[in-house]
Amino acid sequence: INETLETGKMNELTYDLDIPDAGKKYYEARFVESGHDQVTVIIRDITERKNMEISLIEAKEDAEEGSRLKSAFLANMNHEIRTPMNALLGMADLLSESKLDEEQKNYIRVIKSAGENLLNLINDILDLSKIERDHIKIESIDFNLEEIVEKTCEVFSLRAHEKGLELVLAINDNVPLDLVGDPVRLRQVLVNLVGNAVKFTHEGEIVVEVSKSDNLKKEKETGYVDLRFSVMDTGIGISRKSQESIFESFIQGDSSTTRKYGGTGLGLTISKRLVEL
C-alpha cells in the first residue's frame, strides 16, 4: 500500500482462503490511490477463473506425462521389436537362397517385402519417440558431402530406373564438399525426401540439387555454411491445403494417398524435426 501511495500506481494481490463448507476460495485485491493519502481497496472473487487455470495446468501435466510414458515405452521396446524382425528377415534371406520353385520364391519375396515395410514403420516410430524425448543428439564429425548425397541417390537409382524415371544429382560448383556435421541424420532426411519423390512420381524426372548461400561474411566469421537441399519431381504434387499439415505426425496429403501408396506419414515429420535440431 505504501508503494502505491508513493508511485500513484495500482498494485494487485492474489490470495486464497479456506472457508468452512465452501472449500478454497481465491480473491484478488487491487489497491488504488484515491487522493489525500487515501487508498481504495477493490476485492473480487476469482475462484472460478483460478479453478479453471488449475484444471488446465493439471490437464497439461497429465498429457505431458502420458506422452513421456508413451515415448519411454516405445524407446524401451527398441531391442525387443527389432531383434525378432531382423531374425525373420535373415531367415527369409537364407530360405530364398535354397532350392525353391518360382511360386515359393514369390512367397519369400512377399514375406521379405512385408517384413522390411514393418521394420521401416518400427524405425520411424522409434525415431520419433527419441526426438520427442530429446534423445537424439546431432553429431559433429568430418564427412564428404558429395559421397553422402551420391550414395543416397544410388539407393533409389534402381527403383527409379524400374519406373522409367530419370534421377539427376546436381551439386553446385561453389558448394564445399569437406564438412563437419552429422552425415547420418543428413542422409536420413535425404532418404525420406528422395524416397517420397520416387514413390509418388510415375513418369518424368527427379532432380536432387545442393546449393549454397552467398553469405561469405558469415562463413568467414563463424565457420558455418548454409546449404540448401532441393528434391524436385514431376510427380502427383501436393495441394496447397495439404502442404499446411503434411509435416504433422501420421498425416499424409489425403487418406486415399495412404491407401494407395502406404507409409506411416512420419517421414516428413522426422525430417522436419531433424532439420530443426
Side-chain angles (χ1 to χ4, degrees), residues 86-98 100 108 111-112 116:
N86 284 324
L88 287 171
L89 290 173
M91 292 304 295
D93 277 331
L94 290 174
L95 192 56
S96 66
E97 295 174 3
S98 62
L100 301 173
I108 293 298
I111 291 173
K112 287 181 63 178
E116 288 166 356

Side-chain angles (χ1 to χ4, degrees), residues 53-104:
E53 290 176 358
I54 292 171
S55 297
L56 289 172
I57 291 171
E58 290 176 348
K60 179 175 179 292
E61 290 175 348
D62 289 343
E64 289 175 346
E65 177 64 9
S67 178
R68 187 191 67 78
L69 291 174
K70 175 207 70 177
S71 296
F73 169 77
L74 290 172
N76 290 334
M77 289 297 288
N78 187 334
H79 177 74
E80 286 75 5
I81 294 175
R82 292 193 198 201
T83 299
M85 278 306 305
N86 284 324
L88 287 171
L89 290 173
M91 292 304 295
D93 277 331
L94 290 174
L95 192 56
S96 66
E97 295 174 3
S98 62
K99 294 181 179 180
L100 301 173
D101 60 36
E102 197 56 40
E103 185 177 12
Q104 292 170 326

Side-chain angles (χ1 to χ4, degrees), residues 221-240:
E221 291 178 352
T222 67
Y224 283 87
V225 60
D226 289 329
L227 300 182
R228 178 184 178 90
F229 297 83
S230 300
V231 180
M232 299 161 282
D233 62 65
T234 54
I236 62 175
I238 306 167
S239 69
R240 291 199 176 276

Side-chain angles (χ1 to χ4, degrees), residues 224-264:
Y224 283 87
V225 60
D226 289 329
L227 300 182
R228 178 184 178 90
F229 297 83
S230 300
V231 180
M232 299 161 282
D233 62 65
T234 54
I236 62 175
I238 306 167
S239 69
R240 291 199 176 276
K241 181 180 179 181
S242 295
Q243 287 175 24
E244 299 173 3
S245 61
I246 55 172
F247 289 99
E248 297 175 16
S249 300
F250 306 105
I251 298 294
Q252 291 188 333
D254 56 60
S255 58
S256 63
T257 300
T258 306
R259 289 193 300 270
K260 184 175 180 180
Y261 295 97
T264 63

Side-chain angles (χ1 to χ4, degrees), residues 13-268:
L13 173 67
T14 302
Y15 60 96
D16 59 84
L17 296 172
D18 280 318
I19 301 177
D21 302 324
K24 182 170 285 189
K25 305 282 285 185
Y26 296 89
Y27 297 92
E28 180 181 79
R30 292 189 175 191
F31 308 100
V32 185
E33 183 192 0
S34 53
H36 306 292
D37 293 336
Q38 292 182 344
V39 174
T40 299
V41 182
I42 304 171
I43 299 176
R44 64 175 180 148
D45 187 341
I46 59 168
T47 303
E48 184 177 350
R49 188 189 80 188
K50 199 70 179 177
N51 286 336
M52 184 176 294
E53 290 176 358
I54 292 171
S55 297
L56 289 172
I57 291 171
E58 290 176 348
K60 179 175 179 292
E61 290 175 348
D62 289 343
E64 289 175 346
E65 177 64 9
S67 178
R68 187 191 67 78
L69 291 174
K70 175 207 70 177
S71 296
F73 169 77
L74 290 172
N76 290 334
M77 289 297 288
N78 187 334
H79 177 74
E80 286 75 5
I81 294 175
R82 292 193 198 201
T83 299
M85 278 306 305
N86 284 324
L88 287 171
L89 290 173
M91 292 304 295
D93 277 331
L94 290 174
L95 192 56
S96 66
E97 295 174 3
S98 62
K99 294 181 179 180
L100 301 173
D101 60 36
E102 197 56 40
E103 185 177 12
Q104 292 170 326
K105 288 180 180 179
N106 188 53
Y107 292 156
I108 293 298
R109 280 194 290 267
V110 171
I111 291 173
K112 287 181 63 178
S113 176
E116 288 166 356
N117 288 338
L118 183 55
L119 196 57
N120 288 335
L121 167 61
I122 293 167
N123 289 337
D124 281 349
I125 294 174
L126 291 173
D127 266 344
L128 186 61
S129 71
K130 286 180 182 178
I131 292 172
E132 289 177 343
R133 297 175 68 216
D134 294 326
H135 277 205
I136 285 185
K137 303 301 179 186
I138 299 301
E139 298 285 350
S140 289
I141 60 176
D142 296 337
F143 72 96
N144 183 275
L145 179 66
E146 186 175 30
E147 181 181 343
I148 293 297
V149 181
E150 282 185 349
K151 285 187 175 180
T152 301
C153 290
E154 284 175 5
V155 170
F156 296 99
S157 60
L158 178 59
R159 197 183 310 171
H161 178 72
E162 290 174 345
K163 295 181 71 174
L165 303 174
E166 185 176 3
L167 180 56
V168 179
L169 170 60
I171 301 178
N172 291 2
D173 293 337
N174 65 341
V175 173
L177 301 181
D178 293 317
L179 300 169
V180 176
D182 193 329
V184 174
R185 295 304 173 185
L186 172 59
R187 185 175 185 275
Q188 185 175 1
V189 174
L190 290 174
V191 164
N192 279 324
L193 298 181
V194 179
N196 273 357
V198 174
K199 180 193 292 187
F200 297 114
T201 303
H202 301 297
E203 60 181 2
E205 66 177 9
I206 298 163
V207 179
V208 181
E209 182 180 9
V210 187
S211 58
K212 181 180 79 70
S213 72
D214 292 325
N215 195 341
L216 296 176
K217 182 180 179 182
K218 177 184 177 181
E219 289 180 41
K220 290 180 179 179
E221 291 178 352
T222 67
Y224 283 87
V225 60
D226 289 329
L227 300 182
R228 178 184 178 90
F229 297 83
S230 300
V231 180
M232 299 161 282
D233 62 65
T234 54
I236 62 175
I238 306 167
S239 69
R240 291 199 176 276
K241 181 180 179 181
S242 295
Q243 287 175 24
E244 299 173 3
S245 61
I246 55 172
F247 289 99
E248 297 175 16
S249 300
F250 306 105
I251 298 294
Q252 291 188 333
D254 56 60
S255 58
S256 63
T257 300
T258 306
R259 289 193 300 270
K260 184 175 180 180
Y261 295 97
T264 63
L266 287 176
L268 290 181

